[in-house]
Amino acid sequence: MTSDTTATDAAAQPAPKPAGRPPAWQRRLRRFGYAARPQADVRARLVPAFPEPSGRLWAVFGAGPGAAARLTRWSSWAGPLLVTLFAGVLRFWDLGSPRKVIFDETYYPKDAWSLLQYGYEGTWAKNANDALVGHPPQLLLSPEHSYVVHPPMGKWLIALGEWAFGMNPFGWRFMVALLGTLSVLLVCRIGRRLLRSTALGCLAGTLLAVDGLHFVMSRTALLDLIVMFWVVAAFGCLLVDRDRTRARLAAALPLAEDSGDGTGPARPDEAVGDRLRLGRRPWRIAAGLCLGLSAATKWNGLYYLAAFALMSVLWDVAARRTAGARRPFRSVLRHDVLPAFASTVVLALATYLASWSGWIAAKGGYYRDWATTPEGRTGAWTWLPDWLRSLWHYQTEVYAFHTGLTTPHTYQSNPWSWLVLGRPVSYFYEDPKAGQDGCTAAEGCAREVLALGTPLLWWAACFALLYVLYRWLFKRDWRAGAVACGVAAGYLPWFLYQERTIFLFYAVVFVPFLCLALAMMIGAIIGPPGSTERRRTVGAVGAGVLVLLIVWNFLYFYPLYTGMPIPKSAWHHRMWFDTWV
């Protein structure tokens, strides 16, 4: 790792207060030799400079000072792209295997193909799964509408792969694998911006690349990874918006002392903090669009819409307070809340509505003509368009289905057990005999696709979450709060539905934030700025061992993630807990 990992702890220090008369406790402590830390320029507090990374790593390989500087500069994109290439090779390698309809692929790929044909979800024959992977394959689809309980956006994305490569396992998994790969790139760049370190950003992306749950979900045509992609994209857009907004405030601040060339330190200014209008914010609009797309894939995206919209407003409060606002909450209510609401909530709801365009236009979908039935012609809202009333009725029926889903399932799990991987989900299992399906073991083999996070990564992430909460609550580290928000919005709402049939793979939505938390903790393990060489060396060795163990753990479970045939005894050795069987 390059020395820019030291920026993690430095950037996490609480923002210094504006210069002025020190509090009484500081004045009393001065009698005993206490000296307050120097106060940073308010402009630097609003827009911290990205630490200049060291070129010592490249010098070790014989690069001169000029070449080392160029390589260091290029690494901000070259590093994330290399990690993404690694993730892409893993995810696309033999993507069509198993050549089966596995787990909930019995729903979404078929719905996606139906959307291509009719604009709504049709009806498939009972033996459609076997026919799809038969020789030759058959598409046993009829235009009779079917009842579906998830919005269409994610299925439209799956349909793009089917349109390009056909109705086969590779085709219906292609777009999910692509989004899973791109999410690694997003996490690398988000981690770099959030942690102020290219190395830690690439580390966060690498951890995501070797997480078993993310890996399996990237190779399976389900909707949850698509939700995760749009959530991560929205988070990245809000980070860029935060930096640009704070830069706009910093540029408007007056100078405390003019050195003659207009480069003196800035000072807080009440007029700027309270009254400056922040203008157009395209990145927050992009975030609202992404949040709308997440909710238009599965409804749990709505929790992220609420959490991220609130987080963005609180970031504005903090920025205005730092710039000098005397009443930052009132200033934000006056200038920022309405544009924020329009950019996130209103835009997201409009995006959700637009995702139903096929169902609206086709007039053949389930409940599409409900408003024209005797039941639909009654009530106080008959003045609304028929399609809108039909759609609203459909949504209320879907909500009743989701909240009332309590049918027992073999692989259901309580959210209390998710972080420790108490009950993973088996998507596919076969036990071929010797000489069948690539099995060479006399004892017979097992082939399984198990939606299981990389155990050492998840267990280490439990400690990382405690560290993040400590940084947020006791060190006022906004970055730790942002990561905690990303985990909480994807995890805590499921505790409201503990009687509902829910599964561990729903947790894939907040896996990127677990990886960011772990990268943040590893940065602390390496050591803060000013540490001794011995401290840094010991920290780097400890962090390196942890990362290597996580990578080894992923490779150890790799056969269970891909459905490779392994001897029965090897399969049993990987069942570390009875609840994994």
Side-chain angles (χ1 to χ4, degrees):
M1 292 185 181
T2 60
S3 65
D4 63 343
T5 56
T6 62
T8 306
D9 198 74
Q13 298 298 330
K17 296 181 180 179
R21 181 175 174 81
W25 67 269
Q26 286 190 10
R27 297 198 302 272
R28 287 193 295 270
L29 285 177
R30 284 179 178 177
R31 304 173 189 172
F32 304 95
Y34 169 82
R37 286 182 294 184
Q39 301 296 322
D41 175 18
V42 66
R43 189 172 290 158
R45 291 160 53 199
L46 282 168
V47 190
F50 195 95
E52 190 66 30
S54 170
R56 286 183 299 173
L57 176 64
W58 303 111
V60 170
F61 295 100
R70 287 192 297 272
L71 289 170
T72 300
R73 189 166 57 251
W74 295 342
S75 67
S76 65
W77 272 104
L81 287 174
L82 285 174
V83 174
T84 305
L85 177 63
F86 166 70
V89 171
L90 284 176
R91 280 149 179 76
F92 280 97
W93 184 267
D94 201 16
L95 180 61
S97 176
R99 187 176 169 77
K100 301 281 187 177
V101 178
I102 63 174
F103 198 58
D104 277 358
E105 285 187 341
T106 190
Y107 302 116
Y108 311 122
K110 293 189 291 186
D111 287 345
W113 184 261
S114 180
L115 288 174
L116 281 177
Q117 309 306 312
Y118 309 126
Y120 61 89
E121 293 85 347
T123 299
W124 292 77
K126 290 185 178 180
N127 61 333
N129 289 355
D130 293 332
L132 283 173
V133 294
H135 300 283
Q138 294 179 286
L139 304 175
L140 306 181
L141 172 66
S142 70
E144 177 66 25
H145 58 234
S146 63
Y147 180 58
V148 295
V149 294
H150 292 299
M153 188 64 237
K155 290 171 279 189
W156 276 114
L157 287 173
I158 293 172
L160 289 178
E162 295 172 343
W163 171 76
F165 301 102
M167 186 56 172
N168 55 68
F170 181 86
W172 65 61
R173 295 170 189 160
F174 176 82
M175 283 302 298
V176 183
L178 179 62
L179 295 181
T181 302
L182 292 177
S183 67
V184 172
L185 176 61
L186 289 176
V187 168
C188 287
R189 293 292 297 178
I190 287 170
R192 180 181 185 273
R193 181 176 290 270
L194 189 72
L195 304 178
R196 315 302 288 175
S197 167
T198 300
L200 289 181
C202 290
L203 173 62
T206 301
L207 293 173
L208 186 63
V210 298
D211 174 63
L213 182 60
H214 186 275
F215 176 74
V216 170
M217 297 297 288
S218 297
R219 293 170 53 89
T220 312
L222 272 63
L223 301 179
D224 300 83
L225 187 125
I226 300 174
V227 177
M228 179 227 68
F229 175 81
W230 293 121
V231 164
V232 171
F235 185 76
C237 291
L238 289 176
L239 277 181
V240 178
D241 173 73
R242 179 186 186 275
D243 287 350
R244 293 195 170 196
T245 299
R246 294 172 75 90
R248 194 170 297 157
L249 283 167
L253 291 174
L255 301 181
E257 300 174 4
D258 195 342
S259 60
D261 57 1
T263 59
R267 62 175 175 82
D269 185 82
E270 181 180 344
V272 172
D274 275 327
R275 294 192 287 275
L276 181 70
R277 295 187 179 276
L278 298 176
R280 296 180 181 178
R281 299 174 66 169
W283 284 99
R284 191 159 66 180
I285 293 173
L289 177 63
C290 291
L291 291 169
L293 291 171
S294 72
T297 301
K298 285 186 78 172
W299 279 5
N300 55 324
L302 292 172
Y303 293 113
Y304 277 99
L305 171 60
F308 283 1
L310 177 60
M311 181 178 70
S312 177
V313 170
L314 292 178
W315 283 351
D316 287 349
V317 171
R320 287 190 178 275
R321 178 186 292 119
T322 303
R326 291 177 61 88
R327 298 178 178 84
F329 280 97
R330 191 174 72 176
S331 299
V332 167
L333 284 172
R334 180 181 299 172
H335 299 298
D336 303 321
V337 165
L338 187 59
F341 183 80
S343 299
T344 53
V345 177
V346 174
L347 178 59
L349 293 178
T351 303
Y352 179 86
L353 188 62
S355 71
W356 287 88
S357 298
W359 179 89
I360 293 169
K363 293 189 176 182
Y366 202 87
Y367 279 135
R368 175 61 183 85
D369 299 319
W370 173 86
T372 63
T373 64
E375 181 186 0
R377 293 194 184 99
T378 61
W381 303 96
T382 54
W383 55 273
L384 291 173
D386 288 350
W387 65 266
L388 185 57
R389 290 187 292 119
S390 296
L391 181 60
W392 177 255
H393 178 73
Y394 196 172
Q395 305 307 293
T396 59
E397 292 295 312
V398 168
Y399 178 77
F401 169 85
H402 283 305
T403 55
L405 182 59
T406 57
T407 305
H409 192 284
T410 303
Y411 292 105
Q412 71 182 68
S413 59
N414 191 283
W416 287 104
S417 69
W418 287 359
L419 291 178
V420 294
L421 302 174
R423 182 58 169 164
V425 183
S426 180
Y427 287 178
F428 166 80
Y429 181 84
E430 285 183 349
D431 52 353
K433 306 300 182 184
Q436 299 176 349
D437 294 333
C439 178
T440 58
E443 61 181 300
C445 294
R447 294 184 65 201
E448 184 170 27
V449 175
L450 187 66
L452 171 73
T454 302
L456 291 186
L457 190 158
W458 281 63
W459 297 340
C462 292
F463 293 97
L465 285 178
L466 295 177
Y467 173 73
V468 161
L469 291 174
Y470 161 76
R471 295 292 313 186
W472 177 42
L473 295 174
F474 295 101
K475 297 295 184 179
R476 294 180 297 168
D477 186 344
W478 71 269
R479 303 164 314 141
V483 173
C485 177
V487 175
Y491 184 37
L492 297 184
W494 292 110
F495 287 91
L496 301 174
Y497 305 102
Q498 295 191 61
E499 300 301 322
R500 186 187 184 276
T501 307
I502 54 179
F503 303 91
L504 170 65
F505 66 81
Y506 295 171
V508 73
V509 180
F510 61 82
V511 166
F513 299 98
L514 294 181
C515 295
L516 288 169
L518 187 52
M520 190 173 182
M521 186 181 75
I522 288 175
I525 292 174
I526 293 172
S531 300
T532 64
E533 193 70 24
R534 179 182 178 84
R535 165 69 178 84
R536 299 277 293 173
T537 301
V538 172
V541 170
V545 169
L546 175 60
V547 173
L548 289 176
L549 285 174
I550 289 172
V551 173
W552 164 82
N553 203 212
F554 171 77
L555 295 175
Y556 178 73
F557 285 99
Y558 183 82
L560 298 188
Y561 298 145
T562 56
M564 292 174 56
I566 57 175
K568 275 286 186 66
S569 58
W571 179 84
H572 280 291
H573 290 159
R574 287 165 171 80
M575 295 295 106
W576 287 359
F577 302 99
D578 292 342
T579 56
W580 289 9
V581 179

